[in-house]
Amino acid sequence: MPSTLPRAGTSTRRRRMRTSVLRCGEETIQVKRGAVKNLYLRVKPPDGHIEVTAPQRVSDGMILDFVTSKGSWISHARSRLSASISAGSQGGSPTSWSDEDLALARQGMQRQLSALLDHWVPVVGRAPSAISLRLMTSRWGSCTPATRRIRLNLELARLDPRFLEYVLVHELTHLYVHGHGPEFRRRMDLYLPGWKALRKELNTHVIV
C-alpha cells in the first residue's frame, strides 16, 4: 500500500526503474529506483512484503532509515491486509469482486462523480477528457495530463465518499501540475485545505 498517493507514471519512467533488494533485520525490502522525487512505501499482498520506490540518488542507508521509521505504519497495514485476506477465506472478502459488486460500485461512483465534477471542475478550472473506473492494485487514482484522462480505483466505492472527492481533486490538479512539488501543494491547499489529513487517512487503507 502506498504511503503517499502516487500519480500516473510514464512508460519511460517505468523503463528507467532499476531494482534491488535490501535487508533490514528480518525484513527483505524490494527497492525500485527511478525518476521520482520522494520515497514511497507499499505493503504488498498477499504476503505483506515491503516495496520502496526511491529517487536514484537516495542511499541504501536512507531507505533503511525510512523503513525503520515506518515500523508502526507497516504493522498496521499488515494487520489490515491479514484481516482482508482472512475474510476472503470465509467468503466475505473485499478482495473478491463479483460482476454484481463491480456493477454496483461503478454505478455508485458514477452518481457521486456527476455531482463532484459539477462542483470541482469550475473550481479547479480543468476538466478531464474521460474518467475510467477500474480495480487498481497499487494506487487510488492516476492521471495522464497529455490526454487529460483520469483513472480511479473502484475500491474507493467501499470507502467514505470524502476519499473519492480527495482523489478526484488530486488528479484534476495534475491537469495543471505534473508533479507533487510546491505548485501542486499550493493548489491543493487552495482547493481542498484538509487534503493532507485525508491523504494520511486514506493511506491507512490497504489496496488488495
Side-chain angles (χ1 to χ4, degrees), residues 51-119:
E51 181 181 287
V52 172
T53 304
Q56 295 280 12
R57 296 184 179 180
V58 170
S59 68
D60 289 352
M62 290 178 66
I63 292 173
L64 292 174
D65 288 345
F66 175 67
V67 171
T68 299
S69 73
K70 297 291 185 180
S72 60
W73 182 87
I74 292 169
S75 295
H76 179 69
R78 282 175 168 166
S79 293
R80 293 185 62 86
L81 178 60
S82 178
S84 177
I85 292 173
S86 177
S89 68
Q90 299 170 25
S93 173
T95 67
S96 60
W97 290 76
S98 67
D99 290 343
E100 183 179 7
D101 291 335
L102 290 169
L104 289 173
R106 284 196 175 91
Q107 290 170 13
M109 285 182 65
Q110 286 167 350
R111 284 194 297 269
Q112 293 178 67
L113 284 169
S114 178
L116 288 171
L117 287 168
D118 285 345
H119 174 77

Side-chain angles (χ1 to χ4, degrees), residues 9-188:
T10 64
S11 59
T12 300
R13 173 172 294 177
R14 285 194 293 270
R15 286 197 298 270
R16 291 178 180 172
M17 284 286 181
R18 58 187 180 89
T19 61
S20 61
V21 175
L22 295 177
R23 294 287 299 177
C24 182
E26 298 298 315
E27 298 280 3
T28 298
I29 305 163
Q30 295 183 2
V31 179
K32 296 182 179 179
R33 284 186 171 88
V36 296
K37 294 183 178 180
N38 301 301
L39 287 165
Y40 297 98
L41 173 68
R42 296 176 177 88
V43 171
K44 302 285 287 184
D47 58 352
H49 68 273
I50 297 171
E51 181 181 287
V52 172
T53 304
Q56 295 280 12
R57 296 184 179 180
V58 170
S59 68
D60 289 352
M62 290 178 66
I63 292 173
L64 292 174
D65 288 345
F66 175 67
V67 171
T68 299
S69 73
K70 297 291 185 180
S72 60
W73 182 87
I74 292 169
S75 295
H76 179 69
R78 282 175 168 166
S79 293
R80 293 185 62 86
L81 178 60
S82 178
S84 177
I85 292 173
S86 177
S89 68
Q90 299 170 25
S93 173
T95 67
S96 60
W97 290 76
S98 67
D99 290 343
E100 183 179 7
D101 291 335
L102 290 169
L104 289 173
R106 284 196 175 91
Q107 290 170 13
M109 285 182 65
Q110 286 167 350
R111 284 194 297 269
Q112 293 178 67
L113 284 169
S114 178
L116 288 171
L117 287 168
D118 285 345
H119 174 77
W120 284 108
V121 166
V123 172
V124 176
R126 289 287 191 275
S129 62
I131 294 180
S132 60
L133 308 178
R134 63 182 69 172
L135 292 175
M136 304 165 75
T137 60
S138 63
R139 60 188 67 182
W140 295 108
S142 66
C143 171
T144 305
T147 60
R148 305 195 337 271
R149 294 184 66 88
I150 287 174
R151 291 158 292 281
L152 300 174
N153 194 333
L154 276 169
E155 290 273 1
L156 288 164
R158 289 173 162 168
L159 303 181
D160 190 286
R162 59 203 169 96
F163 295 122
L164 173 59
E165 181 175 42
Y166 158 65
V167 176
L168 177 64
V169 175
H170 182 115
E171 302 307 337
L172 286 174
T173 302
H174 277 314
L175 297 179
Y176 271 112
V177 186
H178 289 204
H180 295 93
E183 178 61 13
F184 175 85
R185 296 192 296 272
R186 184 190 72 78
R187 287 184 176 275
M188 287 297 293

